[in-house]
């Protein structure tokens, strides 16, 4: 199991939520062996079928583009501050220090900077107005530039001492709170539903990380260290009962746990009564090691949520390819590890402790023979070509990238044979 845990840390990069795990591939050339033509989508393995329209989909709100410039930038500022806090145990007054750089206008121009400590975007200037250390909190403001349509607009965002969020926009003296997912693509989900989709990805990897540390799953989300963000006005969803934790529109809890020899867990998210998501339930879990089940139920109609649906701002083809690349890197690391331990490579994936994450309906594709192992979109294989050489392969078998092949050898040299259908941008 310990070797399997090492792969959890690598495959955890598939989370795509919050501060992502970083996977560094070897600094060796990527050899493109041709585009492989257009294969079509090759079928659909384990993505749960039709994603449905989910109600209100798109950019998470009906704000105008001017509002959205400030909203997107302030959300990026908040996330930069939170990442900085995780790394340094403090917030920063210096936006450059946290890596915040708002986009300029399309013509390259920027708003005038009214004073020191401010950073200019297109029509707004941004500044951290306060920071406290113990306990940690910060406040930042965005002010529309004089002489622009944003001149009478102000936004403020921050984190209070108990790590809640506040976020408001004031236009011509009228103030309103900004939904966290406003002006943000949410794919086939409403803005409220997408809150739960993201948080359930967080919960999954928090539970897995907790297992890696303690060799057992926690029975509550607080034990796992999972605390979802509340609404931007300081409110949160009501708690249906003990051991629930509240987000903005959803409450979350661990609904089942089993221990060794067959550890498993399930986390449930329930929409708050009296809100548009009152009849929405999500569930995510791991019924067995590296197997995932993730679904949403609206008004009694259930469907599986494909892993890539958590990242609607990215190309679905890029996200699907990432699955293969990350797992291939895990397989490379497994081969290098066993070589150091036993002075040989192995074509036995079970001996290597390699087990990729399944599709979100718990299924795995099959390969040409038993030497291949399925993840979700990809199947994997390792061939020992001599006592001191090997080639590991990841081959896409479903979705718009079906037929795409990645390979890596013992030196870390990778080859890439892309196959993308017309569905890829």
């Amino acid at each position: 199991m310990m070797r399997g845990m090492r792969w959890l840390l690598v495959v955890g990069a598939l989370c795509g939520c919050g501060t992502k795990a970083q996977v560094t591939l070897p600094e060796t050339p990527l050899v493109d062996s041709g585009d492989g033509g257009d294969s079509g989508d090759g079928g659909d393995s384990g993505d749960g079928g039709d994603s449905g329209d989910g109600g209100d989909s798109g950019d998470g709100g009906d704000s105008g583009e001017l509002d959205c410039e400030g909203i997107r930038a302030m959300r990026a500022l908040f996330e930069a501050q939170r990442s900085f806090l995780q790394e340094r145990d403090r917030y920063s007054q210096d936006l450059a220090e946290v890596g915040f750089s708002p986009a300029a206008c399309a013509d390259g121009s920027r708003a005038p900077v009214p004073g020191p400590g401010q950073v200019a975007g297109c029509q707004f200037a941004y500044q951290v107005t306060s920071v406290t250390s113990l306990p940690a909190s910060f406040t930042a403001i965005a002010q529309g530039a004089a002489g622009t349509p944003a001149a009478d607009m102000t936004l403020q965002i921050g984190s209070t001492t108990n790590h809640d969020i506040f976020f408001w926009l004031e236009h011509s003296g009228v103030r309103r709170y900004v939904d966290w997912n406003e002006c943000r693509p949410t794919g086939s989900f409403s803005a409220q539903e997408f809150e739960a989709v993201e948080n359930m990805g967080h919960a999954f990897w928090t539970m897995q990380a907790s297992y890696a540390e303690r060799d057992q799953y926690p029975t509550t989300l607080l034990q796992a260290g999972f605390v979802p963000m509340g609404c931007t006005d300081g409110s949160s969803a009501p708690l249906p009962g003990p051991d629930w934790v509240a987000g903005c529109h959803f409450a979350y809890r661990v609904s089942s746990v089993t221990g060794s020899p067959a550890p498993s867990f399930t986390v449930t998210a329930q929409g708050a009564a009296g809100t548009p998501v009152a009849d929405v339930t999500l569930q995510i879990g791991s019924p067995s090691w590296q197997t995932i089940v993730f679904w949403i139920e609206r008004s009694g109609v259930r469907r599986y949520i494909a892993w890539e649906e958590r990242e609607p701002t990215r190309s679905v083809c890029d996200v699907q390819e990432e699955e293969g690349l990350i797992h291939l890197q895990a397989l490379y690391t497994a081969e290098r590890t066993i070589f150091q331990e036993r002075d040989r490579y192995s074509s036995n994936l079970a001996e290597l402790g390699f087990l990729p994450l399944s599709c979100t309906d718990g299924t795995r594709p099959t390969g040409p023979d038993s030497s291949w192992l399925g993840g979700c979109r990809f199947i994997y294989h390792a061939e020992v070509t001599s006592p001191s050489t090997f080639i590991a392969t990841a081959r896409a078998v479903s979705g718009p990238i079906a037929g795409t092949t990645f390979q890596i050898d013992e030196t870390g040299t990778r080859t890439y044979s892309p196959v993308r259908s017309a569905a890829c941008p």
Side-chain angles (χ1 to χ4, degrees), residues 70 73-74 77-78 81 91-96 98 100-102 111-121 123-131 137-144 153-159 166-168:
M74 290 293 265
L77 187 157
F78 184 90
Q81 285 278 20
Y91 291 117
S92 176
Q93 195 91 30
D94 184 352
L95 288 174
V98 303
F100 173 69
S101 180
V113 177
Q118 300 198 7
V119 176
Q123 301 192 74
F124 291 87
Y126 305 86
Q127 182 180 26
V128 176
T129 54
S130 69
V131 167
S137 70
F138 82 93
T139 302
I141 194 167
Q143 180 61 58
M153 292 179 63
T154 304
L155 296 91
Q156 191 174 91
I157 198 168
S159 179
F166 60 89
F167 189 9
W168 54 255

Side-chain angles (χ1 to χ4, degrees), residues 51-63 179-197 249-250 275-277 279-280 296 298 303 309 312:
S51 64
D53 65 10
D56 179 13
S57 67
D59 67 0
D62 297 324
S63 304
D179 187 274
W180 181 249
N181 285 314
E182 195 170 327
C183 301
R184 182 185 189 192
T186 55
S188 62
F189 306 100
S190 71
Q192 292 84 4
E193 289 172 342
F194 194 69
E195 170 205 325
V197 172
H249 301 97
F250 284 82
T275 72
V277 292
D279 63 347
V280 178
I296 184 171
R298 306 179 179 105
R303 76 166 181 89
E309 289 186 77

Side-chain angles (χ1 to χ4, degrees), residues 85-256:
L85 177 69
Q86 290 178 354
E87 294 172 0
R88 309 280 187 90
D89 288 326
R90 65 179 177 87
Y91 291 117
S92 176
Q93 195 91 30
D94 184 352
L95 288 174
E97 185 180 28
V98 303
F100 173 69
S101 180
C105 296
D107 62 2
S109 63
R110 293 183 180 271
V113 177
Q118 300 198 7
V119 176
C122 178
Q123 301 192 74
F124 291 87
Y126 305 86
Q127 182 180 26
V128 176
T129 54
S130 69
V131 167
T132 63
S133 54
L134 293 174
S137 70
F138 82 93
T139 302
I141 194 167
Q143 180 61 58
T148 74
D152 60 351
M153 292 179 63
T154 304
L155 296 91
Q156 191 174 91
I157 198 168
S159 179
T160 62
T161 53
N162 59 356
H163 298 293
D164 286 337
I165 182 177
F166 60 89
F167 189 9
W168 54 255
L169 180 152
E170 187 172 294
H171 194 178
S172 302
V174 178
R175 182 175 297 183
R176 68 176 180 86
Y177 286 99
V178 177
D179 187 274
W180 181 249
N181 285 314
E182 195 170 327
C183 301
R184 182 185 189 192
T186 55
S188 62
F189 306 100
S190 71
Q192 292 84 4
E193 289 172 342
F194 194 69
E195 170 205 325
V197 172
E198 277 199 312
N199 279 332
M200 292 294 263
H202 269 291
F204 181 85
W205 289 114
T206 301
M207 293 290 288
Q208 294 286 52
S210 185
Y211 187 90
E213 292 175 3
R214 306 170 191 174
D215 228 20
Q216 63 182 19
Y217 289 117
T219 57
T220 71
L221 289 171
L222 286 178
Q223 290 173 355
F226 172 77
V227 181
M229 190 165 64
C231 298
T232 59
D233 62 358
S235 66
S236 57
L239 296 177
D243 297 331
W244 290 81
V245 294
C248 179
H249 301 97
F250 284 82
Y252 308 82
R253 73 167 177 141
V254 177
S255 44
S256 71

